[in-house]
Amino acid sequence: MNKLESIGSFFRQGIFSYKALFGWLDPKVYILTKIVSPIFQLIFFCSLARFAYGKADVTQWVIGNSILMCYLNTVFGLGGIMAEERNFGTLKLIIATPYNKFVSFIGRSLMHITDGISTVLICIAAGIIVFGADFSKVNVALFAADILIAVFAASGLGMLIGCCGLVIRDMNLLMNTAATTLLALCGTNFPVERLPLFLQKISYCLPLTRSIQAAWMIAEGNRFGAVSQLMLQEALLGILYMLAGYCTLAIMEYLSRKKATLDIF
Amino acid sequence: MGEVINAKGLIREYESVKGMIKKERIRIEALKGVSFEVQQGEIFGLLGPNGAGKTTTIKILTTLLAPTAGEAEVLGFNVFKDAKELRKHINFIFGGERGLYWRLTAKDNLNYFSDLYGVDKRTRAKRLPELLEMVGLQDRADEKVEAYSKGMKQRLQIARGLINDPKVIFLDEPTIGLDPVGARDLRNIIRMLSGMGKTILLTTHYMYEADELCSRIAVINAGEILALDTPERLKNMNMGLSVLEVCLKDIEKKDIHAISGMDGVDAVNLTSSDHVSVLRVHCAEPYAVLQKVMNLLRKYSVTGLNIRQATLEDAYIKMVGGNE
Ligand SMILES: Nc1ncnc2c1ncn2[C@@H]1O[C@H](COP(=O)(O)OP(=O)(O)OP(=O)(O)O)[C@@H](O)[C@H]1O
Ligand SMILES: [Mg+2]
């Protein structure tokens, strides 16, 4: 295979695997899980905020909850890949190919990043329509870059979780924990500075916390200079998660062969 | 090149947990020191009852499982340490419907695995249609796999297993679930592959299949190889060439012993199902013992009598034991 073909096959295998594994590609299921349910979650938290804080302008909550919604792809989509493969009986086939498993994982994450961004945008649109969220001062390019980095960093977390799926059977437990942790600690609905100190520390180890803060600042009209540090840190965090995922995958592959976990149920 | 597979004293233990509250760890020794060699171009069979350790052996040889002790080389690569390099040159097919992406079409399944095996575009353009035709799916290649019958899925698995043009192919019960014609087609494919110089290791529960295909067979039971030889020699091992088969309702243990003690009788075994028991008397000259055996069985109601040549199945049942 030459270089060009390898690049083509890198993207293609990502798309194939995405098509193969995710039931939500069925239009009905897609609309329900990726559009209707996130919008209702958004409506719930924004209404709650309006009620609790007595504010008319809930732009902050629209932004936070919209970005948070990428966990559907990043945590549940990427995190569940290995478990899904095992259900199909294809995990051992994938492992037995010479393809670099981590590269394949990254190829798969691209589809989820794209899909995750679309969910974020749908939620923001819904926020504008339902709550009249105010984006008049926003620098669109900067805001878009922030969302991209947010979803990328969250994918790092998802990949780290996903790699554990080679050995761990009950992935839902892990994925649900990650999702609720993000919901509680990212500062979307409860300000990070009001959390107990040790939880604040955790907040800043999680993806999304920084990009949500940056997104708020961008919505208030701040330029790149003001948010660059937050965005760079977030990107770095994403890379760290991916590296951790890479190491975890290597360890898990070793363990899976030692412990015979490639096709247990 | 001679030796393609070389397994030396393979041992594999599994650990599993029993009980919910009072957890008890149990260790199962699935392989207790399995050694064998397979030459290039050979079709090598692994026969044995359920739980004998056949799949475990295949998993170790296909790099999916680490042996607890012992070593194995395939094509000169250590199956544990050189897994990455070895994976390019081998492939495997596990029988059954799983191991495919049901939401993709047959073509896309094959395309996907071509990507994972790094098959280039030109080779792929030629190989994919060839494989689809070989397994008879060329007309339905654009349908999603979920709409396939069990046998069609099985045949697609076979095409998948050949996608990287492997030098060594491992087949774990490949004809399970195929109709007689499909199974015969697959046996022809296996022979054709072997003719192309590929080395094949297969497991099966169908004796005639093993007899028909394999150049050598290892009979494995409870993690140990009991015998390893050509089908011909296995059939003749420790016994005469014929079998006297008697169908009856029931038989007392002492009479079985009496028959096995007779002159000219090599071995006796009994397989029983709900309504009928079959007593098999292995002997070199069936007509010499027939009279004596029938005399002894006069008090039972004998419903059938048959004298035939020993098959591989007889040898197999003798080795691993019937359900006496
Ligand atoms: N993942 C596992 N965990 C625990 N025990 C296992 C595991 N896999 C296999 N075993 C045990 O190892 C033994 C050998 O199993 P194996 O699957 O190799 O048998 P087999 O010869 O392929 O049988 P069959 O003809 O039924 O396919 C069995 O006792 C089985 O229970
Ligand atoms: Mg088996």
Side-chain angles (χ1 to χ4, degrees), chain B residues 10 50 77 91 102 124 132-134 143-144 150 205-206 210 212-213 225 245 258 289-290 300 313 315 319 323:
Chain B
L10 289 179
N50 294 132
F77 297 108
N91 212 325
W102 290 27
R124 186 187 311 203
L132 284 166
E133 195 179 329
M134 186 165 105
E143 274 175 56
K144 283 193 182 172
K150 196 157 134 192
H205 287 296
Y206 307 120
E212 196 186 309
L213 283 175
I225 292 188
E245 232 170 19
V289 295
L290 180 62
Y300 302 107
E313 184 161 353
M319 266 182 275
N323 55 346

Side-chain angles (χ1 to χ4, degrees), chain B residues 115-157:
Chain B
D115 280 332
L116 294 181
Y117 277 102
V119 179
D120 66 48
K121 212 166 138 193
R122 272 192 38 213
T123 318
R124 186 187 311 203
K126 196 165 151 293
R127 195 176 291 160
L128 242 65
E130 273 174 12
L131 288 177
L132 284 166
E133 195 179 329
M134 186 165 105
V135 296
L137 288 174
Q138 69 275 31
D139 297 330
R140 304 192 59 178
D142 293 311
E143 274 175 56
K144 283 193 182 172
V145 172
E146 60 193 3
Y148 276 19
S149 75
K150 196 157 134 192
M152 289 165 74
K153 287 181 191 129
Q154 178 64 19
R155 280 184 275 157
L156 181 57
Q157 294 260 36

Side-chain angles (χ1 to χ4, degrees), chain A residues 51-129:
Chain A
F51 178 74
Y53 296 95
K55 280 198 199 169
D57 178 17
V58 290
T59 307
Q60 183 187 344
W61 285 276
V62 169
I63 292 174
N65 284 296
S66 297
I67 293 180
L68 185 64
M69 223 55 76
C70 75
Y71 75 78
L72 284 176
N73 280 101
T74 55
V75 173
F76 286 103
L78 283 171
I81 278 185
M82 298 290 183
E84 283 281 326
E85 293 278 6
R86 183 180 294 132
N87 286 342
F88 279 99
T90 44
L91 184 57
K92 57 176 181 254
L93 303 182
I94 302 278
I95 294 296
T97 67
Y99 205 86
N100 184 311
K101 311 302 158 339
F102 196 72
V103 173
S104 145
F105 221 138
I106 290 179
R108 290 151 177 235
S109 75
L110 292 182
M111 287 304 294
H112 279 287
I113 288 177
T114 318
D115 194 20
I117 289 174
S118 75
T119 306
V120 175
L121 295 181
I122 287 167
C123 285
I124 286 178
I128 294 174
I129 295 165

Side-chain angles (χ1 to χ4, degrees), chain A residues 1-2 5 8-10 12-17 19-24 84-101 104 108 253-254 256-263 265, chain B residues 12-14 59 62-68 79-81 83-84 87-88 90-92 94 97-104 107-109 111-122 124 157 160 164:
Chain A
M1 251 193 190
N2 59 34
E5 273 188 44
S9 99
F10 167 76
R12 208 170 31 228
Q13 62 92 18
I15 295 169
F16 276 139
S17 121
K19 272 187 11 193
L21 295 183
F22 294 96
W24 66 38
E84 283 281 326
E85 293 278 6
R86 183 180 294 132
N87 286 342
F88 279 99
T90 44
L91 184 57
K92 57 176 181 254
L93 303 182
I94 302 278
I95 294 296
T97 67
Y99 205 86
N100 184 311
K101 311 302 158 339
S104 145
R108 290 151 177 235
E253 198 181 333
Y254 174 82
S256 71
R257 293 165 76 197
K258 284 275 178 205
K259 288 179 180 273
T261 55
L262 289 177
D263 49 6
F265 291 98
Chain B
R12 172 72 209 195
E13 285 175 359
Y14 291 110
K59 280 186 180 165
T62 50
T63 77
L64 292 172
L65 195 64
T68 309
V79 293
F80 191 68
K81 295 188 206 106
K84 198 160 179 212
R87 284 169 181 170
K88 292 178 197 161
I90 62 171
N91 212 325
F92 56 86
F94 288 109
E97 299 175 69
R98 301 171 80 249
L100 293 165
Y101 295 103
W102 290 27
R103 295 195 189 107
L104 296 182
K107 237 184 216 153
D108 282 350
N109 266 286
N111 267 315
Y112 179 53
F113 281 99
S114 303
D115 280 332
L116 294 181
Y117 277 102
V119 179
D120 66 48
K121 212 166 138 193
R122 272 192 38 213
R124 186 187 311 203
Q157 294 260 36
R160 198 226 77 235
N164 60 330

